[in-house]
Amino acid sequence: MAMYRALPAVALAIALLAAGAAIAQSLSDEKQALIAAKRDATAANARSAQYEAESARATEAAGKARAQAAAVAARIQAAEADIAAAEARIRIIEALRVRQRANLAAHQGPIVRLIAALQTMARRPPALALVQPGSMSDIAHVRALLRTTLPVVTERTQELRAEVERGRQLRVQADEAMALLKQGQERLQTERAGLVRLEAEQRQRSQNFTDSAMMESDRAIALGEKARDIVDLMRVLNDQASVRDRLISLPGPMLRPAVPGQAPPPPDRVPTPALPPNYRLPVLGQIVTGLGEVSDAGVRARGLTIRARGDAQVIAPAGGRIVFAGPFRSYGDIVIIDHGRGWTTLLTSLTTLSVSVGDQVTQGSPLGRTGGARPTVTIELRHAGLPVDITPLLGNG
């Protein structure tokens, strides 16, 4: 019988150990998320300061506007990282409060049972003294027992009071984390409104180029409708970029020689080495698929897929020229950037675009935003039409 009575206690101990292990793993994961969010926020704030300095040094209006927009986009990403850090901090505190409540219950149970037993012992001897001879000696024994037990009660209740105090501190920390979360959300809304104003001013300044931009945009839309798939679209745009690069590299017109037939031969065109661009991830989030990984549908990934926050800011991973911006098949709104020298970047699954075909962007320029609940953004970097692993380049940007 004793063995059967011990079974619930053993099961309870096992359950508590399992719950403790789960909470410890959750705390470890959330602490890593908090560290990553703080790192992202620090890096984004540093980029914002860098772009502000570039804006102050810029002499032309277009360069100044691009640097200002990149600075605001970096501040938006910093606010998103601050929000992610606050949310991770809240989850950490909640896990600590769950563990603290379990500890409180563990300390509280024996104390309650001990106090109840002592109260029963304290009440019974006076009643027994009326009916049992010699029960006054029992009362003396009870009082002696109480005097020796009180220090134990005090010691155990001290641990209980410490758990209660830890719970109060966790409540204060939770309130502080919620306040930081609210501040981050307000800052995000303010920075987004500022970016909308900058984009409106930039569109107003570029009204003179509306006709040529519309013609180029229409041509890009026609290419998108004609392309069979996104690989075909990337191939056509890459071919056009190669032709444009070759035309740009051609020498200018030569003067007529004084003596016909004595014109010098054209200089040999030295090919420019195709160095990879400075690169950085265009959106904050968690990488869920890497280059070459095979999905459940059997499709091999040609780039990185990042799970981001809802309405997350997407920036240009490197400078270049927008050669496609708009909806394409089932990929949502996509953006293709020609970085020159055969390098192109494809970004898919955007829902709001801030750029148009023909726009020149710098690294960090805002491209648009993602969709709603936990969207994914795919980034493909290509050189001469072939996929390139982005990971080794991330330190360059």
Side-chain angles (χ1 to χ4, degrees), residues 283-298:
V283 66
L284 300 181
Q286 178 186 8
I287 296 177
V288 293
T289 305
L291 178 68
E293 293 187 21
V294 180
S295 68
D296 295 337

Side-chain angles (χ1 to χ4, degrees), residues 353-364:
L353 295 181
S354 306
V355 291
S356 302
V357 174
D359 288 351
Q360 290 289 336
V361 295
T362 59
Q363 187 180 62

Side-chain angles (χ1 to χ4, degrees), residues 84-109:
E87 290 174 344
R89 190 177 291 110
I90 289 171
R91 290 192 294 268
I92 289 172
I93 293 171
E94 184 55 34
L96 289 173
R97 292 183 71 179
V98 170
R99 188 167 69 181
Q100 188 270 337
R101 284 194 290 267
N103 291 338
L104 185 62
H107 285 92
Q108 194 176 21

Side-chain angles (χ1 to χ4, degrees), residues 241 244-245 275-279 316-323 336-347 361-363 379-382:
R244 185 168 57 250
D245 288 343
L275 298 176
N278 290 335
Y279 218 79
R321 180 175 175 274
I322 304 298
V323 293
I336 300 177
I337 308 173
D338 176 15
H339 306 296
R341 301 179 182 177
W343 293 91
T344 54
T345 289
L346 164 69
L347 297 105
V361 295
T362 59
Q363 187 180 62
I379 310 102
E380 295 182 17
L381 175 65
R382 291 173 175 260

Side-chain angles (χ1 to χ4, degrees), residues 56-339:
R57 291 193 302 267
T59 56
E60 59 171 354
K64 184 180 289 291
R66 283 195 293 267
Q68 288 176 347
V72 176
R75 289 199 295 271
I76 289 175
Q77 289 194 327
E80 291 172 349
D82 286 338
I83 291 173
E87 290 174 344
R89 190 177 291 110
I90 289 171
R91 290 192 294 268
I92 289 172
I93 293 171
E94 184 55 34
L96 289 173
R97 292 183 71 179
V98 170
R99 188 167 69 181
Q100 188 270 337
R101 284 194 290 267
N103 291 338
L104 185 62
H107 285 92
Q108 194 176 21
I111 295 295
V112 170
R113 289 193 295 271
L114 178 59
I115 292 176
L118 292 175
Q119 287 177 343
T120 302
M121 292 175 62
R123 285 195 302 267
R124 288 182 63 188
L128 293 174
L130 299 176
V131 296
Q132 292 183 359
S135 58
M136 292 303 295
S137 61
D138 293 337
I139 294 176
H141 289 311
V142 169
R143 289 179 175 175
L145 179 62
L146 288 175
R147 281 196 299 271
T148 58
T149 308
L150 280 176
V152 179
V153 175
T154 303
E155 180 183 355
R156 294 187 179 180
T157 54
Q158 184 175 1
E159 296 178 0
L160 190 62
R161 289 193 297 270
E163 288 294 340
V164 172
E165 176 60 23
R166 278 193 285 271
R168 188 192 66 80
Q169 293 175 358
L170 287 174
R171 283 197 301 273
V172 171
Q173 293 175 13
D175 292 340
E176 292 174 351
M178 288 300 297
L180 289 174
L181 176 60
K182 184 178 180 181
Q183 290 176 8
Q185 292 170 339
E186 292 174 351
R187 178 187 169 197
L188 179 61
Q189 295 301 322
T190 301
E191 297 294 352
R192 281 179 176 172
L195 182 58
V196 169
R197 287 195 299 271
L198 279 177
E199 291 172 348
E201 293 171 2
Q202 193 167 357
R203 282 195 299 269
Q204 185 66 31
R205 285 193 296 266
S206 61
Q207 281 299 316
N208 296 334
F209 305 99
T210 299
D211 293 340
S212 60
M214 286 293 294
M215 184 172 62
E216 193 167 0
S217 179
D218 291 343
R219 185 177 62 82
I221 292 173
L223 283 175
E225 293 175 349
K226 185 178 179 181
R228 292 169 299 178
D229 54 28
I230 202 163
V231 176
D232 190 25
L233 176 62
M234 292 286 288
R235 181 185 58 77
V236 173
L237 292 172
N238 181 71
D239 292 343
Q240 293 182 351
S242 299
V243 172
R244 185 168 57 250
D245 288 343
R246 287 199 298 271
L247 290 174
I248 292 173
S249 65
L250 290 175
M254 301 178 63
L255 296 176
R256 182 184 298 274
V259 179
Q262 294 183 357
D268 293 334
R269 185 165 60 90
V270 180
T272 305
L275 298 176
N278 290 335
Y279 218 79
R280 72 164 52 103
L281 292 179
V283 66
L284 300 181
Q286 178 186 8
I287 296 177
V288 293
T289 305
L291 178 68
E293 293 187 21
V294 180
S295 68
D296 295 337
V299 179
R300 189 173 297 277
R302 297 184 295 267
L304 297 181
T305 299
I306 299 176
R307 179 173 289 114
R309 300 180 59 82
D311 289 331
Q313 181 66 53
V314 182
I315 62 172
R321 180 175 175 274
I322 304 298
V323 293
F324 193 94
F328 185 82
R329 302 291 191 270
S330 60
Y331 295 92
D333 283 340
I334 72 170
V335 174
I336 300 177
I337 308 173
D338 176 15
H339 306 296

